[in-house]
């Protein structure tokens, strides 16, 4: 038995390659792993480079054309006339209104999201944390349009919110607020305030999750050490919690600010006749046929978000994503 076992010749250390095209490709990918990596990345890179970035460059090129005032045809000669039209008072009012709404929605979302995220990060455990994630993510699973139309019914003059305020004898407060010149209207469903409320509701989960992730990275002993050194809860929040949670807040603001900046549906369904950038793009391209001005309007959020992301990166926001 021993002699027979010793006489057995060992097999080759490396198996011979399989024949055919399949074997040749397998050998090529084994010897040159970068070729395999290139083939795997080529489809998404082509999609991103041609379909996405290419369309953005085409859009940017359209913004440097102009519309002929007599024929209504596009004059495909390089000019800055369209950006001059963009700086007119009516168009600047649209841009300012949209940026103001995006900033207010971002600020309100941060204020509402912080205590929710703090409780989830510091106190929620096990089943309660699962319920927290379910409660935050559940609104994102329903249809976007269904949520908007549901809020339109809630905020309508005959809606449940008006009925509730009437039962609490606070209808006078709502009527006084709606009588204000900028934020008011015939009802909440056709007012700047109603648009703001729906924006905050829809984008709030995108603020809660990054803030909660940032707060979970804060060691508990830092808060305890601040209390042991005699700091009040306000001082602990200002000097310990808020600076460490700021990257998460900025990361959440990237979503809330950019999504509000470019949204078209919410201001179209819930709001007044005063346009936002998304509505202006649709109006100029679909109704007026002024594609260069629509493209110039579209460039505005891209430029604003470029500077916004640059500032967010400097504050370490991408570490909290």
């Amino acid at each position: 038995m021993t002699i027979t076992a010793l006489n057995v010749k060992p097999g080759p250390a490396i198996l011979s390659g399989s024949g055919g095209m399949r074997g040749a490709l397998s050998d090529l990918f084994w010897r040159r792993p970068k070729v395999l990596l290139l083939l795997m990345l080529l489809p998404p890179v082509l999609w991103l480079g041609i379909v996405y970035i290419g369309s953005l460059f085409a859009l940017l090129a359209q913004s440097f054309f102009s519309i002929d005032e007599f024929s209504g045809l596009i004059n495909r000669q390089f000019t800055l006339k369209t950006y001059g039209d963009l700086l007119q008072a009516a168009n600047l009012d649209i841009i300012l209104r949209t940026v103001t709404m995006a900033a207010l929605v971002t600020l309100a979302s941060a204020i509402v999201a912080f205590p929710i995220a703090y409780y989830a990060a510091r106190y929620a455990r096990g089943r309660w944390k699962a319920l927290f994630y379910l409660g935050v993510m559940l609104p994102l699973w329903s249809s976007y349009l269904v949520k908007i139309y549901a809020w339109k019914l809630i905020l309508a003059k005959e809606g449940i919110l008006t009925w509730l305020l009437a039962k609490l004898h606070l209808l006078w407060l709502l009527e006084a607020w709606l009588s204000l010149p900028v934020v008011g209207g015939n009802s909440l469903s056709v007012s700047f305030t109603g648009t703001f409320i729906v924006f905050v509701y829809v984008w709030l989960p995108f603020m809660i999750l990054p803030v909660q992730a940032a707060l979970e990275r804060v060691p508990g002993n830092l808060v305890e050490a601040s209390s042991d050194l005699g700091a009040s809860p306000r001082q602990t929040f200002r000097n310990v919690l808020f600076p460490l949670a700021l990257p998460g807040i900025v990361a959440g603001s990237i979503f809330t600010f950019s999504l509000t900046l470019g949204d078209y549906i919410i201001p179209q369904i819930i709001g007044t006749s005063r346009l936002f950038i998304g509505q202006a793009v649709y109006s100029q391209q679909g109704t007026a046929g002024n594609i260069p001005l629509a493209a110039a309007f579209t460039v505005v959020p891209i430029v604003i978000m470029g500077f916004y992301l640059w500032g967010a990166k400097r504050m370490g926001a991408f570490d909290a994503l």
Side-chain angles (χ1 to χ4, degrees), residues 106-281:
T106 300
L107 180 62
S109 298
I111 294 173
V112 175
F114 195 92
I116 300 174
Y118 180 78
Y119 175 82
R122 300 286 296 174
Y123 299 106
R125 296 291 183 271
R127 183 180 301 175
W128 290 108
K129 178 155 287 191
L131 289 176
F132 161 77
Y133 283 115
L134 181 63
V136 172
M137 299 296 293
L138 190 61
L140 300 178
W141 299 343
S142 59
S143 171
Y144 180 78
L145 282 175
V146 169
K147 291 185 291 186
I148 307 307
Y149 278 108
W151 269 104
K152 188 173 182 63
L153 295 176
I154 293 172
L155 299 175
K157 185 174 292 186
E158 300 83 9
I160 187 173
L161 185 60
T162 304
W163 172 84
L164 180 61
L165 292 174
K167 290 294 183 180
L168 297 175
H169 304 287
L170 295 176
L171 194 57
W172 61 272
L173 185 61
L174 176 61
E175 292 175 352
W177 181 264
L178 292 176
S179 64
L180 296 177
V182 177
V183 298
N186 294 330
S187 69
L188 284 175
S189 62
V190 286
S191 66
F192 193 84
T193 303
T195 309
F196 167 78
I197 292 173
V198 178
F199 267 133
V200 173
Y201 166 79
V202 172
W203 308 139
L204 186 60
F206 296 96
M207 177 65 77
I208 293 176
L209 294 177
V211 176
Q212 186 259 346
L215 288 172
E216 280 193 340
R217 296 191 183 102
V218 178
N221 54 10
L222 290 181
V223 180
E224 296 173 0
S226 176
S227 178
D228 293 341
L229 292 173
S232 63
R234 181 178 300 178
Q235 291 173 325
T236 301
F237 171 78
R238 184 175 64 249
N239 299 320
V240 179
L241 279 177
F242 183 75
L244 294 175
L246 187 59
I249 296 174
V250 178
S253 72
I254 293 173
F255 297 106
T256 57
F257 189 82
S258 62
L259 292 172
T260 305
L261 203 62
D263 193 83
Y264 160 77
I265 296 177
I266 293 178
Q268 184 70 17
I269 298 176
I270 300 176
T272 64
S273 59
R274 296 190 292 268
L275 299 180
F276 286 75
I277 288 179
Q279 295 169 291
V281 171

